[in-house]
Amino acid sequence: MKHFLTLIRCCLGSLRSRIVRGSVWCVMTLLGAALLGGDVAAGKKDALRWLDSEFTISTISRDEQVREMEWFIEAARPYRGMNVRVTSERIGTHLYEASVLAKAFSEITGINVFHETTGEDDVIKKLYTQIDINRSLYDLFISDSDLIGTHFRSQNVENLSDFIAGKGRDVTLPTLDLADFIGLEFVKGPDGALYQLPDQQFANLYWYRHDWFTREDLRRKFKQHYGYELGVPKNWSAYEDIAEFFTFVVKEIDGERVYGHMDYGRADPSLGWRFSDAWLAMAGAGDVGLPSGSPVNDWGIRTEACRPVGASVARGGALNGPAAVFSLEKYIEWLHKYAPQNAITLNFTDAGTQPGKGNIAQQIFWYTAFTAALTKPGLAVINEDGTPKWRMAPSPLGPYWKAGMKRGYQDVGAWTMLKNTPLKQQKAGWLYAQFTVSKTVSLRKTIVGLTPIRVSDINSNHMTLLAPKLAGLIEFYRSPTARVQWTPTGLGVPDYPKLSTLWWKNISLAVSGQLSEKQALDKLAAEMDEGLGYIARTSSGPCAPQLNEKQKESFWLKQPGSPKPTRADEKPTGKTMSNKEMIEIWE
Amino acid sequence: MQKVDVHFCWKKCSFTKVIGLFVLLVISLSSAATKDDGYSSSVTFHLLTEQIPPYSFKSENGIEGAGVDVVTQLFSRAGISVAFQIMPLKRALHTARKNKNTCIFPIQRTQEREAAFKWVSPILVSQAGLYSTKKSNLHIVTLNDAKDYVIGGYGGSAIFNYLKSHELNVIPVNNDILNFKKLLADRIDLWATDTLTASYLTKKSDRNSIKLEIIFMTKIRALACNLGVDSEVVNALQAHLIEMYRDGALDLIIGNYKD
């Protein structure tokens, strides 16, 4: 306002002095300012409309919401009329952003947002295409924090800590409250700098039919067969017993064929995630130490200081070690023996929603991103009162697992800004990114997509009221231990896009029977070493890979920790947990 | 099959563009002559494509198009001779999966197709948008805003499938130019197509009567080769492709099909 009055005084002065060019300039500027002022007023009106219609629940007061929206309107002034393009994976949370939040942001700020949703694999390819061909395809990406090891090494991604403190300071939301994000540690480099901003978060947990597990007749029958209580399995032995029980002993419930296991086995990139998303860690192949295991991580890669030095046992890794081989053997055995026949032809998406059909008793490897899809009223796994017949619980652990190791996988889909995006586009895009995680909209988004990112949302009364309908999701996220023991692919994977493709290409050879489990993992480990070697030759920096010389495998297997030698008893007695024990794990 | 060694757009190119392309060709031929990419240049690659103007189409000059120009120059830089053939997409995918030294272009590199081919990407980056008539005064900000309207799309295309999967009311036709005509005749409210196709198909018409509402999708179009193709060949083609982006050859080719 102060500047506006100065401008009017200046114009009157020019007119009085009959300075024609100055007068014309002033009138034009005043006209522009008036129009812009009109736009801003319209933006405020739109903001109030959105607060009344969509963002009616929030962890901040309505006054605070209004102030947050006013900040967005002011900060967006220089970018009004600009187009911003972003892309993300196609899950419920991002569909909500693309269809509702993008529209709200556009109307409130005057910045047009085109939020495209596609496959996660496609997002990664587009991100790397933008880097490779050095063309700005998108202003921001939402990509998995699994890529953090790649991002901090490549230096193609903006360091957000620097951006917030420097060139993006004027467009950084004062109420962003980074400390409120539960997954912030997953998107930091070893330098402590923030490379991505969390947008949604999900974990991989155990899924089971709580109604069947609590049926007296089934519990009695299970105890008769196996000598212990039917319950959430603590180890893989119990998981296997329960799988056998439902597939071969129970066989039918209410006249329908049921199965004790569900999984997927189609040869496509999602088969890789089935393993790279911490299956080896759950088996116990890596080392103790959070977030990923050190010195050997959940991919079986050994890292010294921050340098990856090898994946094969011969170089000190564990990718083709006894624990990894055991984990692949069990995956294939269970898929063939206990899952429905078509499971081998399915991918990640198909298998995630399959339990909703009502014929699956348990699934050891299940993404919570499917919670919204499996809590829809009318499904065979939902009671008439809307509560689920199923629950999620900590995944059982393999015979090589030891206390202090990561328990499973959790990932953050996070806003990622490339350095080759023009600054003005970066700034306009950054405003939209922050809008989608702002406290004004975050709780509503969390309830729609069930992929929480903020402590304040998770601890809200709204979530407490919803908890009985969410089958254990809220209990998981309220657990401080769960937030640190379930972790993403960490800093030890130096080029996720290049190395991750090796998983499915080799695992599929074992699934199809072309190679034995050991042969497939030997091949995978050799190719992983080769990949690390290539990265070592083509990159520099203190955290670039540097391969160990090959040794006899026995040398490494005799050392303490990972790689671990074959256990004499890979199937110890099955153990299940009581409800009390389950609660203790979350605590 | 039509055997092509070097392919140009003599008829459509402006003088400057022709000179530019000539310089690039000289660079690429000399680079092909001096580089040894480690495989026999006596092998002819069979390159399959669809009738999808302006990316690839039959004309009185043979098979031409933006995609054809890109892969012609790409293989020329790698010192490999090629033969083009147009066929329906399904047949082309099947043929490229079954036959050695055979590739298909320009197709989308999807998760489902990933395992079936070796990839050289992106040979083209295209954008898909929704077009309305200016007189309609529509205001589309997100795809959700298009839910109440009738959209014309090219049946079976990635754009058509994408809109269908978003539960939009999209009506298929088997020739995209019909959508332009239907839009002008008010038989559809919106036309879903990629921006290069729209620019090309409306070249001889009153393109001022239509308006781009939103761009809703960016597509990476790739060259997908039979799994038996030597990885060294694929790596060499990929390296030449990146070089074509960096030296401006790609922009020059696409520019010829825009206006």
Side-chain angles (χ1 to χ4, degrees), chain A residues 85 103 116 126 135 138, chain B residues 145 165 215 218 245 251:
Chain A
R85 322 200 65 78
K103 190 177 173 71
E116 182 186 326
K126 284 173 171 168
R135 305 287 157 97
Y138 295 95
Chain B
D145 297 336
S165 71
I215 289 174
T218 296
Y245 276 99
D251 289 336

Side-chain angles (χ1 to χ4, degrees), chain A residues 85 90 98-99 103 106 114 116-117 121 125-126 129 132-133 135 137-138 266-269 273 504, chain B residues 109 111-112 114-115 122 125 127 141-142 144-145 162 165-166 214-218 220 242 245-246 251:
Chain A
R85 322 200 65 78
R90 194 173 178 186
S99 58
K103 190 177 173 71
S106 295
F114 303 117
E116 182 186 326
T117 57
D121 196 49
K125 285 203 168 70
K126 284 173 171 168
T129 296
D132 284 343
I133 68 175
R135 305 287 157 97
L137 306 178
Y138 295 95
R266 192 160 96 202
D268 87 0
W273 312 338
W504 69 266
Chain B
R109 185 174 180 176
Q111 212 161 293
E112 290 71 29
E114 183 70 29
V125 177
Q127 291 183 312
V141 180
T142 72
N144 236 19
D145 297 336
Y162 184 80
S165 71
H166 277 79
I214 58 165
I215 289 174
F216 59 88
M217 185 182 183
T218 296
I220 305 288
I242 298 300
Y245 276 99
R246 292 192 176 146
D251 289 336

